[in-house]
Amino acid sequence: MEKQALPASSCSLVLLEETKKSPITLSNGGGGSVAGGVVGTACVGQDKKGGVVNGVGPGYQERETWTRQMDFIMSCVGFAVGLGNVWRFPYLCYKNGGGVFLIPYLLIVFVGGIPIFFLEISLGQFMKAGSINVWNIAPLFKGLGYASMVIVFFCNTYYIMVLAWGFYYLIKSFTATLPWSSCNNEWNTPSCIEIFHHQDCKNASFANITVGSSNMTCADLADARSPIIEFWENKVLSISSGLDEPGKMNWELILCLMAVWVLVYFCVWKGVKSTGKIVYFTATFPYVVLIILLVRGVTLPGAYDGIMYYIKPDWSKLEEAQVWIDAGTQIFFSYAIGLGALTALGSYNRFNNDCYKDAFILALINSGTSFFAGFVVFSILGFMAAEQGVDISQVAESGPGLAFIAYPKAVSLMPVAPLWAALFFFMLLLLGLDSQFVGVEGFVTGILDLFPGKYYHRYKREIAVAICCLLCFIIDLSMVTQGGMYVFQLFDYYSASGMTLLWQAFWECIVVAWVYGADRFMDDVARMIGYRPFPWMKWCWSFITPCVCMGIFLFHLVNYKPLTYNNVYVYPWWGEVIGWCLALSSMLCIPVSLLYKLFRAKGTFKERWAHLTTPVWGAHHLEYMAPDIKSLSSMSPGTDDNKVIIFESVM
């Protein structure tokens, strides 16, 4: 690029007035020195394309990067591959036509999942900032950053409850007899029955025929409860009759919750240098356990029927809109889109990392894990159905129902049951743990980016992580009460629901493609990775992905159903109001922030828009966007060529 001199009256670009004999040195973070001075210590202005250049202040902290690129890959795998891949995808696949479900699933992966996944990672890498400051690329829409922070905060708050329950089950697995395998416990009721003799009632002419050795009639059998359901509801949850009856706290769950939060804290407190090492274990070991469970599962009677039930195609399902909606919603959940954590992880990449290739690798791992987990889950469910003499549809579950009811019930029927139970819940804990601590990492990164270098404190990160964990723990105490499950469902259904994530993804595409410019951002990506991505990405960001997101969003809105627990308990009106407040607290960040900034700005609407959509470049751009830095040190002093712009434009 040809170098141009900066007008003497302007401070819009960083200008090197004197190079003398000292070579230019620019740090990875963008700090630079010329003859002992700091580049741009007082210069803040606009570049040729309208971007504002932030000068490098004396307190600027160089952003840390991953020790190895594999640390980033593993962290993304750990975060994006979580409980949803194991307990939600297999159920959706069986429910929506088996193998046929892969058609809408893969289609939406390529038109929605991968484009936004790549957008978030590349945006973080380009701007070298967390989920809030990354939107300096179009400051008017910084509300997107605040929205993602709200969503990931809610996720961090309620998601860890699954880990606390899993940890509780893991501890209870270290016994000779699993506590949920019998009806001889203090929490069991007279309705508890260990073996359901459904087959005895199929041909029964009278409802009062006694079945098995339980002295129960076929009529009583309809109201009978298995010991695993009673263990879950009466022992673990001690569930009350509704949201308006919080009841007392479960001290055992409080201890489990505390232990998991302490574990999360020490995984995150030192930043990506330590997190990048921990995920090598937490992200890979679940695959070892999944393979062990699959080998065990396929050797069980009934496993073949279960697997065929999982993959057998039902082509008629493609005509149903719900199948396509489920595919889209699952992708946004499992790819962890809209939470801002992927942006934070990408911000620790080297500027020239090939994030385009990374996006495809991570998408393949994520979707491949989901499909593979289905074979594990349904081989076990097939065995469970064969043991009980019922159809697989009666034992197939998703969500917590699979993790804490169906699977524990299945392992209780196996030889050496405690071993398989411990393995499963250890895998569950690891699957959720890395998703949890990377989510906390993303939140803390966004918060710390708001405080510039002049607020530097030696233990700033450790204190910020501690405050975040403590605040979430205090909120979590409402979920370890007897009414805690109702609170948990409120958070799960509203705060990080499909609607909030779709709303977030829609605006991300609109801002990058139409406000900043899709072609412009493609140029930026080319500058980073050394080649221009396939135009498909640009087309998706500009047209296809926003339409997919808004279409699924409107479908959710039109087909909205009030929240229920177990399809029996209907939440009171004020419970739904709380839920909608949780949802709107993130969704309204975008329009409210936009209107506030527009009203606060001065000038005509056109002038306000132009000013507020002008990118604010970070200090690292001084190095990476330099036209030809190497040639600067070879210039002779005292000539006009000494006055060189080291940052001219995005490209």
Side-chain angles (χ1 to χ4, degrees):
M1 184 183 291
E2 185 181 345
K3 296 179 279 292
Q4 301 172 10
L6 182 72
S9 60
S10 172
C11 190
S12 63
L13 297 174
V14 177
L15 180 64
L16 300 184
E17 294 290 352
E18 294 181 2
T19 55
K20 305 298 181 186
K21 293 182 181 180
S22 302
I24 289 179
T25 306
L26 287 168
S27 73
N28 191 32
S33 60
V34 181
V38 178
V39 177
T41 51
C43 186
V44 177
Q46 280 193 320
D47 74 346
K48 186 176 168 186
K49 282 179 138 183
V52 175
V53 181
N54 272 345
V56 187
Y60 177 73
Q61 286 288 303
E62 182 178 330
R63 194 174 191 84
E64 61 180 333
T65 56
W66 302 104
T67 308
R68 286 180 297 274
Q69 198 51 37
M70 187 54 72
D71 296 359
F72 166 69
I73 297 290
M74 285 297 178
S75 295
C76 284
V77 169
F79 181 62
V81 177
L83 299 173
N85 299 73
V86 174
W87 74 17
R88 196 163 186 269
F89 176 85
Y91 176 78
L92 288 178
C93 198
Y94 124 79
K95 180 187 130 187
N96 292 312
V100 169
F101 183 66
L102 293 178
I103 295 173
Y105 179 84
L106 291 175
L107 191 63
I108 298 177
V109 161
F110 284 102
V111 301
I114 293 176
I116 303 180
F117 194 86
F118 171 56
L119 175 66
E120 293 196 356
I121 291 174
S122 57
L123 201 56
Q125 182 173 312
F126 177 63
M127 295 300 290
K128 287 280 184 188
S131 55
I132 296 178
N133 280 357
V134 77
W135 294 107
N136 280 337
I137 202 167
L140 178 60
F141 293 90
K142 220 167 182 178
L144 270 165
Y146 298 119
S148 66
M149 290 288 282
V150 172
I151 296 172
V152 81
F153 176 75
F154 286 147
C155 272
N156 292 341
T157 301
Y158 83 86
Y159 188 84
I160 201 165
M161 280 308 303
V162 180
L163 305 187
W165 293 328
F167 190 53
Y168 183 82
Y169 270 80
L170 178 63
I171 294 170
K172 294 293 184 181
S173 298
F174 294 106
T175 55
T177 304
L178 294 175
W180 57 81
S181 61
S182 68
C183 290
N184 305 321
N185 305 288
E186 58 180 349
W187 57 81
N188 293 125
T189 65
S191 301
C192 180
I193 178 172
E194 293 178 19
I195 301 173
F196 287 74
H197 296 268
H198 290 287
Q199 64 276 14
D200 293 346
C201 289
K202 283 181 181 177
N203 300 319
S205 303
F206 303 98
N208 60 354
I209 293 179
T210 303
V211 293
S213 57
S214 57
N215 295 323
M216 279 193 173
T217 64
C218 290
D220 296 331
L221 201 60
D223 299 321
R225 290 158 59 87
S226 72
I228 179 57
I229 292 178
E230 294 208 335
F231 177 79
W232 170 239
E233 292 191 348
N234 299 351
K235 174 63 176 172
V236 181
L237 301 180
S238 301
I239 196 162
S240 66
S241 59
L243 186 63
D244 53 345
E245 291 183 27
K248 62 179 188 294
M249 291 185 181
N250 184 331
W251 66 269
E252 288 180 309
L253 275 185
I254 293 175
L255 291 177
C256 290
L257 181 66
M258 193 181 298
V260 177
W261 267 123
V262 169
L263 202 57
V264 168
Y265 175 79
F266 285 110
C267 286
V268 179
W269 71 321
K270 289 298 181 184
V272 295
K273 298 292 184 186
S274 60
T275 304
K277 305 297 179 291
I278 296 165
V279 289
Y280 277 90
F281 176 71
T282 59
T284 56
F285 191 75
Y287 288 97
V288 176
V289 179
L290 277 173
I291 292 169
I292 293 171
L293 291 174
L294 178 65
V295 171
R296 178 65 183 124
V298 295
T299 60
L300 295 169
Y304 176 78
D305 294 331
I307 290 171
M308 290 310 297
Y309 206 84
Y310 167 53
I311 61 174
K312 185 180 178 182
D314 180 1
W315 297 99
S316 64
K317 290 284 188 179
L318 287 177
E319 300 171 5
E320 298 177 16
Q322 187 62 48
V323 174
W324 295 82
I325 301 304
D326 282 347
T329 308
Q330 170 62 15
I331 286 160
F332 282 86
F333 272 121
S334 68
Y335 278 49
I337 288 167
L339 301 176
L342 292 174
T343 308
L345 294 178
S347 72
Y348 296 115
N349 278 337
R350 290 174 293 103
F351 189 79
N352 299 115
N353 172 60
D354 193 346
C355 52
Y356 184 60
K357 180 183 71 177
D358 290 347
F360 281 94
I361 292 171
L362 291 166
L364 180 65
I365 293 172
N366 195 318
S367 297
T369 303
S370 297
F371 190 61
F372 174 69
F375 289 93
V376 179
V377 170
F378 273 86
S379 64
I380 302 293
L381 293 181
F383 160 72
M384 183 176 166
E387 283 289 300
Q388 295 185 350
V390 297
D391 191 72
I392 296 172
S393 60
Q394 292 183 245
V395 297
E397 294 268 3
S398 73
L402 173 69
F404 302 115
I405 296 176
Y407 209 97
K409 173 64 179 173
V411 296
S412 69
L413 301 172
M414 295 183 193
V416 203
L419 171 65
W420 301 111
L423 259 182
F424 174 75
F425 288 112
F426 186 55
M427 178 196 72
L428 203 71
L429 194 61
L430 291 181
L431 273 175
L433 186 62
D434 45 17
S435 297
Q436 178 71 24
F437 69 65
V438 174
V440 173
E441 171 67 48
F443 180 78
V444 171
T445 298
I447 294 294
L448 292 181
D449 281 351
L450 295 176
F451 298 95
K454 63 182 179 180
Y455 293 105
Y456 175 73
H457 184 279
R458 184 180 177 186
Y459 298 109
K460 182 168 72 172
R461 163 172 279 277
E462 288 87 339
I463 294 169
V465 175
I467 292 171
C468 171
C469 292
L470 184 63
L471 186 59
C472 290
F473 175 76
I474 291 170
I475 298 173
D476 285 333
L477 292 177
S478 65
M479 300 183 202
V480 294
T481 60
Q482 289 177 293
M485 188 60 181
Y486 304 111
V487 179
F488 173 84
Q489 274 208 324
L490 268 182
F491 273 84
D492 184 45
Y493 194 73
Y494 290 100
S495 67
S497 65
M499 281 199 293
T500 55
L501 299 181
L502 290 161
W503 176 257
Q504 183 79 2
F506 170 80
W507 282 107
E508 284 181 9
C509 292
I510 294 297
V511 172
V512 171
W514 295 102
V515 179
Y516 181 73
D519 282 313
R520 192 178 175 188
F521 189 63
M522 289 287 274
D523 290 340
D524 299 335
V525 172
R527 177 75 185 210
M528 289 193 297
I529 66 178
Y531 61 92
R532 197 176 177 86
F534 189 65
W536 174 255
M537 289 294 173
K538 180 181 70 176
W539 303 334
C540 284
W541 296 335
S542 303
F543 306 106
I544 304 171
T545 308
C547 290
V548 169
C549 292
M550 190 48 63
I552 301 175
F553 175 83
L554 293 174
F555 184 90
H556 273 292
L557 206 57
V558 170
N559 292 281
Y560 168 76
K561 294 177 182 175
L563 179 60
T564 61
Y565 176 72
N566 271 355
N567 296 319
V568 177
Y569 174 76
V570 180
Y571 278 68
W573 67 268
W574 54 269
E576 281 198 69
V577 169
I578 293 171
W580 277 107
C581 287
L582 292 173
L584 293 174
S585 62
S586 64
M587 294 171 70
L588 290 178
C589 282
I590 302 167
V592 169
S593 172
L594 185 147
L595 292 173
Y596 175 77
K597 284 177 180 287
L598 279 175
F599 280 120
R600 292 277 294 176
K602 296 178 181 178
T604 64
F605 177 80
K606 189 176 180 180
E607 290 170 340
R608 296 182 194 191
W609 179 270
H611 172 66
L612 290 170
T613 55
T614 300
V616 179
W617 303 123
H620 66 284
H621 293 102
L622 298 178
E623 175 182 354
Y624 290 113
M625 296 306 189
D628 191 4
I629 290 178
K630 289 182 180 178
S631 65
L632 296 180
S633 58
S634 63
M635 292 177 187
S636 57
T639 67
D640 286 340
D641 285 339
N642 290 353
K643 297 180 179 182
V644 177
I645 297 170
I646 71 165
F647 178 87
E648 182 185 9
S649 66
V650 178
M651 284 299 294

